[in-house]
Amino acid sequence: MASSKPTVFSGVQPSGQPTLGNLLGAFQPFVKYQDTHTAFFCVVDHHAITVRQTPEELAENTLSVAARYISCGLDPAKCTLFVQSHVSAHAELGWVLNTFTQMGELERMTQFKDKSLRHAQNINVGLFDYPVLMAADILLYNATEVPVGEDQTQHVELARDIATRFNNLYGPTVTVPKAIIPKAAARVKDLQDPTRKMSKSLGGKGTLFLTDSPAEAAKKIKSSVTDSLAQITYDPENQPGVANLLEILAALTHRTPQEAAKEFKGQQYGALKSAVAEAVVQCLEPLQDRYNGLMADKAELQNILRKGAEKARAVAGPTLARVMDKVGYARF
Ligand code: AQP
């Protein structure tokens, strides 16, 4: 019997060690969906190779991202956790959807523009086409909701446009998804340059990795860039560094950044940094313990991912077939 629950899909790239941004913008908000939704969470390795990866690291990081999902609270018995390349329908639907996407639409994508600047030696077609593959990822599972950090909302919008275009041409075939972004920390900023997003591939003192020791994590927070205004208010425009710290604190303590700011009224930046460092360390320690335990048994992780791929194929296959039938592929 078909489930009456809404469906969520989201993915994380195994393109390096995940950051505090990935935790607050993705892993942590994903957890609540496993009880209320039919939930698919994916390690998107096809996406990761749009930037050159070291082969041994890609394989290791794929298991590592899976272990992150579980250590943050996802239960493979309650959701479907799998690796993108284990389900060939992603690449196949991606190809079909290419023919429903205009060059101009992809040229407007800010992630493509940013990454083209950062990887000027390797502006490959996959990097350009990334959002179409992401649309395929989402549409294969009939996802109604796509929880993502703010940086990915433009891609989900494109997935909506592609789905709508397909349905308008062929009649209702695919589900039109919408992006859901967290209330706080939807775009965690680099701790040294709070005007740009914290990214796993940027690294440096401004990136807090989930593998950082508690001492390293606290040090990065305490040496984060603020400003000389000497007031703690939530004002992302004029105080991006302070706003970033308040966002992080708010996400970790389940408040709004404005509420968090009130607690520090009249206090100095050191007090705010100490509170953020403490909240981050408290959150990281148990996560790291669980993560290390999971990575110590890779055979079990592989088992979980194998079973997840089987469950994923059972949903993705019929969607792909439906799309191919509508387009007129001779399938017999
Ligand atoms: N700084 C961030 N704040 C909030 N959310 C974030 N996400 C990423 N960075 C932040 C969210 O994490 C999910 C997985 O992201 P991804 O790994 O698929 O790719 P990304 O968005 O390109 O993340 P990175 O860390 O910047 O990776 P690299 O450096 O490899 O490009 C997404 O939901 C994303 O929004």
Side-chain angles (χ1 to χ4, degrees), residues 2-19:
S3 163
S4 56
K5 287 179 180 175
T7 300
V8 283
F9 172 93
S10 202
V12 175
Q13 297 185 76
S15 48
Q17 282 303 328
T19 68

Side-chain angles (χ1 to χ4, degrees), residues 245-268:
L245 292 174
L246 288 168
E247 291 259 357
I248 295 169
L249 188 61
L252 289 170
T253 55
H254 312 289
R255 286 181 284 176
T256 63
Q258 289 84 351
E259 281 163 357
K262 273 190 207 143
E263 185 192 325
F264 294 95
K265 202 162 188 271
Q267 296 191 54
Q268 299 194 334

Side-chain angles (χ1 to χ4, degrees), residues 62-82:
T62 298
L63 289 182
S64 162
V65 168
R68 288 285 168 211
Y69 274 119
I70 302 171
S71 64
C72 291
L74 285 182
D75 175 355
K78 291 187 182 173
C79 64
T80 301
L81 185 59
F82 67 104

Side-chain angles (χ1 to χ4, degrees), residues 28 44 46 83 168 178 185 191 195 209 232 246 248 250 331:
Q28 189 172 276
V44 287
H46 280 321
V83 178
N168 286 344
K178 69 165 190 280
L191 295 166
T195 59
F209 291 104
I232 299 180
L246 288 168
I248 295 169
R331 297 191 324 110

Side-chain angles (χ1 to χ4, degrees), residues 20 23 68 71-72 208-218 252 277-293:
L20 184 66
L23 176 69
R68 288 285 168 211
S71 64
C72 291
L208 202 158
F209 291 104
L210 300 186
T211 43
D212 284 346
S213 69
E216 279 168 326
L252 289 170
E278 197 187 320
V280 167
V281 167
Q282 264 186 22
C283 166
L284 279 190
E285 277 179 328
L287 285 189
Q288 290 179 343
D289 287 347
R290 287 199 290 275
Y291 169 81
N292 291 335

Side-chain angles (χ1 to χ4, degrees), residues 10-16 19-27 30 44 51 53 111 115 118 130 147-152 185-189 197-202:
S10 202
V12 175
Q13 297 185 76
S15 48
T19 68
L20 184 66
N22 298 126
L23 176 69
L24 302 181
F27 293 118
F30 291 167
V44 287
V51 170
Q53 305 290 327
Q111 179 177 285
K115 288 201 174 175
R118 267 158 60 194
Y130 182 117
V148 282
E150 203 177 73
D151 59 312
Q152 293 294 335
R187 188 189 288 263
V188 175
K189 307 294 192 324
K197 186 185 86 143
M198 183 184 288
S199 265
K200 56 173 111 62
S201 58
L202 282 176

